[in-house]
Amino acid sequence: MGGGCSRCCAGWVTCCYGCRKRQSYTQKMSTKTAERVWFCVMAFTFLATLFDMFLWVSSDNDADSVNAGFWKSTGVWFPFYFTFQIISYVTFGYIMLLMIFGFLHMILSERLQLHMLHKIGVVMSLVMTITLIVFVSIRLRHLWHFVPELLQYIGPFLQLVAVTVMTLLSWFVAGGLGTLQRRGIPIRDASFWYFLVLIVLYITPIFIKSPCIMTQHHEDNPHKPLLFAHKGAEEIAPENTNISFMIALDDYEAHGIESDVRISFDGIPYVFHDEILTRTTNAIDVFPENYRQPADMFTMDELRELDAGSWFARKKPFLTAWFVSDEEKEEFSQQGILSMVEMFNIVLARKKSLLFDVRPPPSEHPYATSWLNTTIDVITKEIGLDPSEFTYWPAPNGPHYVFFIQLYDNRTIQNVYNDIAFQSVRTALENNVTTNVWTVNEAWLFQYYWCAGAGSVTTSSVHTLSGHNSLVWQLTPTHYLIMWILFDVASLIWVIVVFVIQITLHRRQGRRLTRHTSDGSAYNYQFVAMSDKPSDMYAS
């Protein structure tokens, strides 16, 4: 019964890998050199697709900014990032299945023979993967910094997974030594590279620097970072609108709002992010002749004519927008562009904090040289804040200024992008400077900067991050050292035992074959998938 099950499994594997029927042992031929080359190409493609998928997974935090960038260059609002992700997932899944079938061929002693359609699929997957990686390197270079950050966060556990995989592969590596020896390749040379990779993985933790490996104990962990809602609750409501601000502050108890302020043609600061109006308003319908001109070239009365909410349910910029109810659509359609004073009233009435960028108007604007002073005058005279209750500084990434209202938050902060190293966050904290990191949307990145000691983060995902109330993991260096050593020792013992067993089996098999051939008797032995034995060796 066991043999029948094995034959059934082997037939299924050969059908999926090579679209062919399984051959009997008397008909088997050795794996051709070309097929071995194809297996190596497939292994390289697997590593490339794995890296590509890891890149897109790690940089998912900035998916919205990528889509917005494509909108600026193409004028089309489309989930480009999600499309690239799907391509990477599909190619990786496809190549991974082929690799599994290839290894099953070896386990079941079947000849490797990849079907031509699969060969075409492997080449296409490799080309698409390399194209995506090159594209990211040229057009989306800002995504690369997420790769080392995610590696730092999950590095301790990724090392354990890698050691586990190499430990499990020891049975196949040791099992193939007999075949290599029959080809005249010394076992020492063949096993050297395996043990070299294994030793490198064993000592990798020496170089792992993770923010969640901390000297303090659990009771001394950093406090949860405060949440600034980026443009309000922008993933579940239209950005920079009254309803978006209220949902973030009332429903999810955000510490404050992070937004954008511009100045209208008649000198009134208003809340808006983009340079033109078309992405988030119905300016094309209301101003068909001049909708392409900069948003700052419209008066405040003209801006109030626009619908700044209906686009959210229509364009569906986030996955959550697909689940907007009819009642919410109606409420969104009533949202307009707010003045800066209205935003202040919403936030300060709830005794919350406010962080916003003030962006300069075009050079032909009547307030092109006085936009900053005009904004400050509105804050001090119309809103009534004392100059000691707010601070502002030039933004490091553009010509705009960053304003921080300290009426209910008197921290000294640095507002930095999410590529800042966790060591820099801790250094600033030692100098009594709190770090606010923008934009942090993914849970793992939030946990990363939580471990680093960031005082606050700006997030578009206030509805999800507000529910994170404890660190997912945290280890002291001593605990990590113990875990690392015990795991590596267990792996090494397992590998040594496996090699001893396999070498013993090969020696017994060799003595048995020598004894059978010396007395002229016929013999059969199981076909080894990667061997070079001719087909007549398997005949009775």
Side-chain angles (χ1 to χ4, degrees):
M1 182 175 178
C5 181
S6 177
R7 287 192 295 272
C8 178
C9 181
W12 179 74
V13 168
T14 55
C15 179
C16 293
Y17 187 84
C19 298
R20 62 183 177 86
K21 293 183 178 180
R22 176 177 177 268
Q23 295 175 317
S24 65
Y25 283 121
T26 58
Q27 296 175 320
K28 284 183 177 179
M29 300 175 62
S30 63
T31 297
K32 297 179 181 179
T33 302
E35 291 298 329
R36 297 194 196 105
V37 172
W38 271 109
F39 186 83
C40 293
V41 171
M42 189 167 63
F44 176 78
T45 305
F46 172 78
L47 295 177
T49 55
L50 176 62
F51 176 78
D52 182 55
M53 185 184 69
F54 188 85
L55 169 63
W56 291 106
V57 169
S58 64
S59 56
D60 193 52
N61 186 84
D62 275 18
D64 305 327
S65 65
V66 171
N67 292 334
F70 277 106
W71 172 80
K72 287 182 179 179
S73 59
T74 65
V76 178
W77 187 259
F78 182 78
F80 290 98
Y81 189 93
F82 181 71
T83 303
F84 297 147
Q85 264 191 331
I86 292 299
I87 293 174
S88 68
Y89 294 163
V90 170
T91 53
F92 172 75
Y94 170 63
I95 299 300
M96 182 181 67
L97 286 176
L98 289 182
M99 288 293 295
I100 292 174
F101 288 133
F103 279 116
L104 288 176
H105 271 68
M106 299 177 192
I107 295 173
L108 297 170
S109 303
E110 289 292 329
R111 173 169 59 99
L112 290 174
Q113 185 177 338
L114 187 64
H115 193 272
M116 180 57 67
L117 289 178
H118 286 322
K119 292 177 181 177
I120 295 173
V122 169
V123 172
M124 291 181 61
S125 298
L126 182 59
V127 170
M128 284 191 294
T129 298
I130 294 176
T131 301
L132 284 176
I133 293 175
V134 172
F135 173 75
V136 172
S137 301
I138 297 175
R139 290 290 305 273
L140 304 172
R141 289 190 297 270
H142 67 282
L143 299 181
W144 280 108
H145 73 270
F146 290 112
V147 173
E149 286 178 343
L150 182 55
L151 286 175
Q152 287 176 337
Y153 179 66
I154 66 173
F157 304 100
L158 200 61
Q159 186 260 350
L160 298 182
V161 171
V163 169
T164 301
V165 171
M166 289 297 293
T167 302
L168 295 177
L169 287 177
S170 63
W171 182 264
F172 305 106
V173 174
L177 293 180
T179 301
L180 297 176
Q181 191 175 34
R182 288 194 294 272
R183 295 181 192 165
I185 301 176
I187 293 179
R188 292 180 181 178
D189 295 345
S191 58
F192 169 78
W193 295 106
Y194 171 79
F195 279 100
L196 178 63
V197 173
L198 194 61
I199 291 173
V200 169
L201 289 176
Y202 284 162
I203 65 175
T204 297
I206 297 176
F207 308 100
I208 293 177
K209 306 297 181 184
S210 176
C212 293
I213 299 178
M214 299 180 285
T215 55
Q216 58 263 57
H217 295 284
H218 292 285
E219 59 271 13
D220 299 321
N221 284 343
H223 295 292
K224 175 183 175 179
L226 303 172
L227 300 180
F228 280 93
H230 186 235
K231 307 175 189 176
E234 69 163 336
E235 288 191 356
I236 55 178
E239 65 184 56
N240 286 329
T241 58
N242 181 70
I243 189 172
S244 182
F245 292 158
M246 289 195 298
I247 289 176
L249 298 175
D250 297 339
D251 295 353
Y252 297 103
E253 299 181 349
H255 175 72
I257 295 294
E258 193 281 338
S259 189
D260 307 273
V261 170
R262 293 185 173 277
I263 191 162
S264 67
F265 193 78
D266 51 347
I268 299 177
Y270 67 100
V271 182
F272 200 75
H273 177 271
D274 295 355
E275 295 179 358
I276 59 176
L277 299 166
T278 52
R279 181 175 68 90
T280 60
T281 72
N282 60 339
I284 296 178
D285 299 326
V286 179
F287 305 113
E289 296 182 357
N290 56 351
Y291 67 88
R292 294 182 181 274
Q293 71 179 12
D296 296 340
M297 302 305 289
F298 291 87
T299 65
M300 193 64 210
D301 288 339
E302 290 174 326
L303 293 172
R304 290 190 185 280
E305 297 180 33
L306 299 173
D307 173 2
S310 296
W311 72 277
F312 185 83
R314 185 177 68 256
K315 294 184 178 179
K316 298 178 175 57
F318 305 98
L319 181 63
T320 49
W322 289 87
F323 305 99
V324 173
S325 65
D326 292 337
E327 182 180 349
E328 289 173 324
K329 290 180 182 179
E330 177 63 26
E331 191 172 9
F332 291 168
S333 66
Q334 299 172 10
Q335 303 301 309
I337 294 178
L338 301 174
S339 69
M340 185 183 71
V341 173
E342 291 171 328
M343 178 179 67
F344 267 77
N345 292 337
I346 295 171
V347 175
L348 298 185
R350 292 164 172 79
K351 296 184 178 181
K352 298 290 186 175
S353 187
L354 189 56
L355 185 68
F356 58 93
D357 297 333
V358 179
R359 303 182 181 276
S363 57
E364 64 273 18
H365 194 279
Y367 291 85
T369 58
S370 59
W371 57 276
L372 183 59
N373 290 331
T374 300
T375 303
I376 295 174
D377 287 343
V378 172
I379 294 175
T380 55
K381 296 177 181 179
E382 190 169 346
I383 298 175
L385 292 187
D386 187 83
S388 63
E389 295 175 328
F390 67 93
T391 184
Y392 61 95
W393 60 90
N397 62 326
H400 57 281
Y401 276 73
V402 180
F403 277 69
F404 178 45
I405 307 304
Q406 297 174 297
L407 186 60
Y408 301 109
D409 187 349
N410 59 0
R411 296 176 299 157
T412 300
I413 70 168
Q414 61 170 349
N415 192 42
V416 296
Y417 186 52
N418 54 30
D419 60 351
I420 185 173
F422 73 88
Q423 296 93 338
S424 300
V425 175
R426 291 176 177 171
T427 300
L429 192 59
E430 293 172 358
N431 296 322
N432 296 320
V433 176
T434 303
T435 300
N436 179 73
V437 186
W438 59 275
T439 306
V440 176
N441 301 325
E442 292 298 302
W444 73 264
L445 192 61
F446 180 63
Q447 293 278 330
Y448 177 90
Y449 283 113
W450 185 345
C451 289
S456 57
V457 300
T458 296
T459 178
S460 301
S461 304
V462 64
H463 60 295
T464 58
L465 297 188
S466 61
H468 289 252
N469 297 315
S470 61
L471 288 171
V472 173
W473 72 273
Q474 181 263 323
L475 292 171
T476 64
T478 302
H479 290 158
Y480 180 51
L481 179 64
I482 294 173
M483 181 180 71
W484 162 32
I485 293 176
L486 289 178
F487 202 85
D488 285 1
V489 169
S491 168
L492 183 60
I493 293 174
W494 174 276
V495 170
I496 292 174
V497 170
V498 165
F499 268 76
V500 169
I501 293 174
Q502 287 283 27
I503 291 174
T504 302
L505 292 176
H506 282 302
R507 287 178 177 174
R508 289 180 179 177
Q509 185 183 37
R511 287 195 296 267
R512 188 182 305 114
L513 292 177
T514 302
R515 185 172 61 254
H516 285 182
T517 54
S518 62
D519 60 12
S521 59
Y523 64 92
N524 284 304
Y525 66 94
Q526 193 176 28
F527 173 81
V528 179
M530 300 296 284
S531 72
D532 287 322
K533 296 294 181 181
S535 59
D536 56 5
M537 292 291 291
Y538 303 96
S540 299

